Amino acid sequence: MSEPYLRLGVPKGSLQDATINLFAKAGWKIKLHHRNYFPDIDDDRIKCSLARAQEMSVYVENGTFDVGLTGSDWISENNSDVVVVDDLIYSKVSNRPARWVLCVNGNSPFKRPEDLEGKKVATELVGFTKSYFESLGVNVDVSFSWGTTEAKVVEGLCDAIVEITETGTTIKANGLRIIAELMQTNTRLIANRDAWADPEKRKLIEEINLLLQGALRADKMVGLKMNLPKDKLKDANGSLPSMTSPTVAELQDPNWLSVEIMVEESVVRKLIPELKALGAEGIIEYPLNKVI
């Protein structure tokens, strides 16, 4: 590497804890300090800094960071020239893309974006929102919101807001109504172009991505291990989903087999009773950190 370490930007705010937990599953322990923006990481090849997701792509583009994590929305908003290494679909709430939505007061007469002609819209995503309404040919006054955006509609400071949501719970709790979805966004691993061109830094970035993706893949999966009567293996094959095929090993008792599989966690509640009915015993379910 041109420098003795890789500079990693960790998103501060709502994604901070989820990011640190993801890195922990991938094999890196990041330790925060209460009074500074430079967490420790248990890898002397990497130095960490905290930065707001909204600004991350700017810092990666200008070389402050070699690599960072931020939303595709902010890459677009900042028009940043960075390398998108991969998508990392994770969040503090759910493993699905977040949505930027156009919201109005629940009792307002507005039902479509076109109904907001000449009205005021508040948002943190100013550039994209302006482009969205321009594409519709609708003239609105878009202003930047520094936070508590939902309250601005309720207090009558604007006619509508463009806000990010995953479940819509906060929007409904504030008495607002969604009238349009503007875009979906998810977290991306991005790299500075010069860092990506450095063979050693690129190798480390790809290593980080590989293990992060493995941790994400394992997030919804579990391992199942059991003893199964040998004469029931054929019957069980249809009930044993796995990434390739089950791992089967002989036991000391020739009438029994040890069987191990990796499955989606959501099917386990249905699968275990089926396996038990086939005669499986000693069924063990265990979490997975990474699936590569």
Side-chain angles (χ1 to χ4, degrees), residues 239-282:
S239 301
L240 293 175
S242 186
M243 292 188 67
T244 51
S245 63
T247 300
V248 180
E250 299 279 349
L251 294 177
Q252 187 173 10
D253 186 334
N255 296 314
W256 288 82
L257 298 169
S258 174
V259 179
E260 192 166 3
I261 58 175
M262 289 186 294
V263 296
E264 294 284 341
E265 188 175 15
S266 60
V267 308
V268 170
R269 58 180 177 265
K270 179 175 179 291
L271 183 57
I272 288 180
E274 292 178 358
L275 294 169
K276 187 66 178 174
L278 285 169
E281 294 184 1

Side-chain angles (χ1 to χ4, degrees), residues 163-215:
E163 182 66 325
I164 193 168
T165 184
E166 289 181 30
T167 64
T169 303
T170 303
I171 289 170
K172 290 178 182 177
N174 283 279
L176 306 182
R177 175 167 44 89
I178 298 173
I179 62 172
E181 179 180 308
L182 276 62
M183 70 179 295
Q184 290 192 355
T185 179
N186 57 268
T187 307
R188 288 180 171 175
L189 183 67
I190 59 173
N192 172 270
R193 292 200 174 276
D194 289 339
W196 190 247
D198 182 317
E200 290 187 62
K201 286 189 176 182
R202 179 166 179 167
K203 181 180 178 182
L204 181 51
I205 293 169
E206 289 176 335
E207 176 184 316
I208 291 170
N209 183 50
L210 175 69
L211 296 175
L212 290 178
Q213 294 292 348

Side-chain angles (χ1 to χ4, degrees), residues 98-124:
R99 301 175 295 146
W100 283 93
V101 293
L102 178 63
C103 306
V104 297
N105 207 321
N107 58 10
S108 79
F110 309 123
K111 296 182 179 180
R112 305 177 306 147
E114 290 79 3
D115 297 336
L116 293 168
E117 175 69 35
K119 304 299 182 182
K120 294 181 179 180
V121 179
T123 183
E124 197 174 1

Side-chain angles (χ1 to χ4, degrees), residues 37-57:
Y37 289 88
F38 307 101
D40 292 329
I41 186 169
D42 61 343
D43 189 329
D44 58 12
R45 302 172 298 170
I46 304 171
K47 282 195 174 182
C48 289
S49 299
L50 296 177
R52 296 173 74 238
Q54 293 90 329
E55 301 171 306
M56 186 70 73
S57 66

Side-chain angles (χ1 to χ4, degrees), residues 14-15 53-54 57 69-78 84 86-92 94-101 124-125 128 162-167 181-190:
S14 62
L15 278 177
Q54 293 90 329
S57 66
L69 296 91
T70 189
S72 55
D73 46 358
W74 295 113
I75 300 170
S76 173
E77 177 73 3
N78 297 325
V84 177
D86 215 333
D87 285 348
L88 298 168
I89 301 178
Y90 72 101
S91 73
K92 62 176 181 176
S94 62
N95 289 333
R96 61 185 181 189
R99 301 175 295 146
W100 283 93
V101 293
E124 197 174 1
L125 200 71
F128 179 85
V162 172
E163 182 66 325
I164 193 168
T165 184
E166 289 181 30
T167 64
E181 179 180 308
L182 276 62
M183 70 179 295
Q184 290 192 355
T185 179
N186 57 268
T187 307
R188 288 180 171 175
L189 183 67
I190 59 173

